[in-house]
Amino acid sequence: MLVYRDQTTRLDLASASAGDILQAVFQAVPEGVERIYVTAGDPWHREAGRYPFLRDAVAAWLNAPIAGWRTDTGRGKDRMAGHFVHARHPVGRYQRQGAEQHVEIRSVGEWFDPEGAAPTTVRDAFVLLWKALRAHWSDAVIMGSPSQTGRDLWTRTIPARGQFADGYPVLSEELRGLLHATAGQGRTELITPPHVPEQLPALVEYDRTFAYAKHTWKSPVGAPRRVTATTFASWSEKEQTRALFGCGHWQVRVSVPDDWSHVGILPAPAPGERAWHYPRTPGTTFTTWAGGPEVYTALSNPLAPWKIEILDGLLWEDGKPLDDWSKKLKDAWASLAAQANLHGDPAQRLAAHLASRAVRSLLLYGIGSFAQRPRTVTGTTPRTDERDIPADAEIIGFDDDHVTWQRPTGFARDPNAHPEWAASIWSGARAALLSMRMREDNTHVGALHAPAGSVVAFRTDAVYLTTPQKWPYHGQPGEYLHKGHLTGPVPAPTTEDELLALRDAGRTALHHTRTSGEA
């Protein structure tokens, strides 16, 4: 089913190759259409059984020859050239040969899980999203991805006057590299037996609503001040506390208390991996980098203070470069969430719900785009021209006709690259998974306020427990929503796939309980 403006057309996509999609779509719509969203079916996975890795199947689908079309090489200063090979949400970029027609094939899953919605409902969701954004940005444009759109909207909030009228200072490549290497993103951790029972009494999911929006009210600005161990030690306790509450990134030597029995607090590089883990064994000592919110949580948590020695650090001035942008997105989200709850038409309720999820993606992926990690370029070369493969490229797949490769290109010279903003928000969000004060209710919530041994997993904004908690929820950003509840005994998950299967079952069970009037 193809939806274009107010037209709905049934298409025959044949084998659902990229070529079949382009041919069928442009028999039904004008050539000026620049973007095609696939809402279901994942056609790039059709031949997955032929390849050892899903990414190889996607690359083969993107790079299959198409009569009359070639891979887009970009337009002018447009750097979005070539295909983006991603296992779940790839982007195919094509140009009609001998013409200036450019088109992308994308997955709507970049924006939200369509939850089985009809294509007409998905289109309505984008219309509602556009209207909600236009209420705050009169010139808002929905671009191809939420990260592009989120960044574009933010550029429209840069002050027209004052100290930062020309934009916010960009860190040196050295400092950007340091943050890239030492500032992780969301916490993803599965805790397995014997740290939890083999049979769980229950699996209860609490997910933080629109979580990152809670941590954008303050961000680092300008060039950071270097703080040595000697300087930090010379400060009074009040000065040290103020620094840890400020916008900082700290290298610390950490000792887990001898009587500690709960989850880990501070991230540390996982040995031999490009990942993070959270040491929790009593008496363990390790060195790592962490943001101020996490360091302060380790020092002041409700169970036992950890021993923290500041070895080095970067301390910025506090600023509000994201506050206006975030407030507008929160207002748009709240408006759409209200429509999702109150609209009389079920299809429009779903469309508003999907649009509210899209706003969440704008903020989530917009923040991620500020990190500006070193870019990796993916390309393909015919097997007959293998000598043209860049010398520093890594071959990641091949078939009878093409070789797929990728190579790092370093940091882009982007005037809006701010990994310090992303690092600060990620640190605040990880800390809030452990302990967060709810001022209106005069209480604390988070994993450290659940019994020891009851935490099964963390997944970015969510925590999974074996016991339900009486955590207040008012529908505000950052609060913990009781999202899933699977009554036990439940076999403790030992893999991510097992956890996700139990998560889905728990959400279904809780929804059934609520709709049947049992709770």
Side-chain angles (χ1 to χ4, degrees):
M1 180 185 290
L2 171 71
V3 178
Y4 171 69
R5 299 189 182 276
D6 58 351
Q7 304 170 25
T8 301
T9 309
R10 303 247 356 144
L11 301 181
D12 179 2
L13 298 182
S15 68
S17 67
D20 291 336
I21 291 173
L22 291 172
Q23 180 178 6
V25 167
F26 286 108
Q27 285 179 348
V29 303
E31 290 190 358
V33 168
E34 296 185 351
R35 196 172 302 132
I36 300 168
Y37 281 114
V38 176
T39 65
D42 297 338
W44 36 82
H45 293 163
R46 289 290 178 92
E47 300 291 329
R50 296 178 52 196
Y51 297 89
F53 301 103
L54 202 55
R55 186 183 175 96
D56 294 343
V58 172
W61 187 90
L62 292 170
N63 291 301
I66 304 175
W69 295 84
R70 61 181 176 85
T71 302
D72 199 344
T73 54
R75 289 168 280 178
K77 295 182 179 180
D78 180 12
R79 290 175 297 173
M80 297 292 102
H83 304 311
F84 174 60
V85 181
H86 186 280
R88 301 293 176 184
H89 304 305
V91 181
R93 300 186 177 100
Y94 302 95
Q95 180 179 356
R96 193 181 289 276
Q97 290 180 348
E100 282 303 309
Q101 182 183 359
H102 303 258
V103 64
E104 293 181 334
I105 300 178
R106 309 187 74 114
S107 166
V108 82
E110 292 181 88
W111 289 87
F112 47 73
D113 178 356
E115 301 178 19
T120 49
T121 303
V122 172
R123 180 190 175 275
D124 288 345
F126 277 107
V127 172
L128 290 174
L129 171 65
W130 180 75
K131 289 180 177 179
L133 295 177
R134 281 289 177 118
H136 300 282
W137 289 277
S138 61
D139 54 353
V141 176
I142 295 180
M143 304 176 76
S145 70
S147 61
Q148 289 173 286
T149 309
R151 276 275 296 274
D152 179 67
L153 293 174
W154 173 79
T155 62
R156 300 164 194 261
T157 65
I158 296 175
R161 302 175 184 174
Q163 181 181 1
F164 301 114
D166 294 327
Y168 294 87
V170 174
L171 298 181
S172 68
E173 188 164 316
E174 179 184 12
L175 288 179
R176 289 163 64 188
L178 173 67
L179 287 166
H180 165 63
T182 61
Q185 299 187 27
R187 180 169 182 168
T188 301
E189 181 183 19
L190 178 62
I191 300 170
T192 56
H195 300 294
V196 296
E198 295 276 358
Q199 294 291 320
L200 308 178
L203 185 66
V204 189
E205 178 187 10
Y206 290 93
D207 185 59
R208 297 186 65 217
T209 296
F210 204 14
Y212 285 3
K214 179 75 173 178
H215 305 285
T216 54
W217 64 276
K218 180 180 71 173
S219 302
V221 293
R225 171 188 177 188
R226 171 87 180 277
V227 179
T228 65
T230 303
T231 299
F232 190 86
S234 70
W235 289 347
S236 66
E237 182 178 349
K238 184 177 180 180
E239 289 172 320
Q240 291 179 350
T241 300
R242 186 186 301 118
L244 293 179
F245 266 116
C247 296
H249 190 58
W250 304 96
Q251 185 182 32
V252 291
R253 183 178 292 116
V254 186
S255 295
V256 182
D258 291 335
D259 57 351
W260 189 256
S261 60
H262 220 296
V263 297
I265 294 181
L266 291 172
E273 301 179 20
R274 294 186 61 185
W276 301 87
H277 67 151
Y278 295 81
R280 56 182 290 172
T281 304
T284 299
T285 297
F286 61 98
T287 299
T288 190
W289 284 83
E294 293 165 286
V295 175
Y296 189 79
T297 298
L299 290 168
S300 62
N301 73 81
L303 303 176
W306 287 30
K307 182 180 178 183
I308 304 289
E309 180 185 357
I310 300 292
L311 303 177
D312 202 354
L314 302 171
L315 186 61
W316 286 264
E317 294 292 328
D318 295 352
K320 293 182 175 292
L322 302 175
D323 195 43
D324 184 33
W325 174 71
S326 176
K327 283 179 178 177
K328 290 178 177 179
L329 290 178
K330 283 186 280 189
D331 286 346
W333 169 81
S335 171
L336 291 165
Q339 291 182 56
N341 289 328
L342 301 174
H343 205 289
D345 183 344
Q348 286 300 300
R349 284 203 302 271
L350 177 56
H353 168 69
L354 296 179
S356 73
R357 299 297 291 172
V359 175
R360 174 187 177 274
S361 295
L362 289 175
L363 187 133
L364 178 67
Y365 296 117
I367 289 168
S369 72
F370 286 123
Q372 285 289 297
R373 298 182 180 278
R375 295 171 63 89
T376 299
V377 172
T378 302
T380 58
T381 301
R383 292 292 294 267
T384 55
D385 299 321
E386 288 189 21
R387 292 181 180 179
D388 294 336
I389 298 174
D392 58 346
E394 173 189 3
I395 294 175
I396 59 174
F398 57 86
D399 56 24
D400 292 340
D401 302 311
H402 293 86
V403 176
T404 303
W405 48 266
Q406 67 180 19
R407 66 184 182 91
T409 60
F411 289 98
R413 293 185 176 180
D414 191 326
N416 297 321
H418 291 286
E420 68 276 19
W421 297 351
S424 176
I425 292 167
W426 293 335
S427 177
R430 290 194 299 268
L433 273 182
L434 299 172
S435 182
M436 181 180 76
R437 183 186 175 195
M438 298 187 67
R439 289 183 174 84
E440 293 182 3
D441 301 278
N442 192 29
T443 189
H444 285 78
V445 297
L448 292 178
H449 300 277
S454 68
V455 181
V456 178
F458 297 96
R459 279 188 61 81
T460 308
D461 301 333
V463 59
Y464 297 81
L465 308 172
T466 62
T467 56
Q469 304 297 309
K470 294 182 178 179
W471 292 343
Y473 183 75
H474 311 291
Q476 297 301 308
E479 294 180 348
Y480 282 87
L481 171 65
H482 184 194
K483 200 168 184 178
H485 195 134
L486 198 59
T487 302
V490 179
T494 57
T495 66
E496 182 182 32
D497 287 343
E498 290 177 2
L499 173 66
L500 295 179
L502 293 174
R503 177 200 67 181
D504 294 344
R507 290 179 179 179
T508 300
L510 182 61
H511 176 73
H512 175 73
T513 299
R514 287 171 172 167
T515 54
S516 64
E518 297 174 14

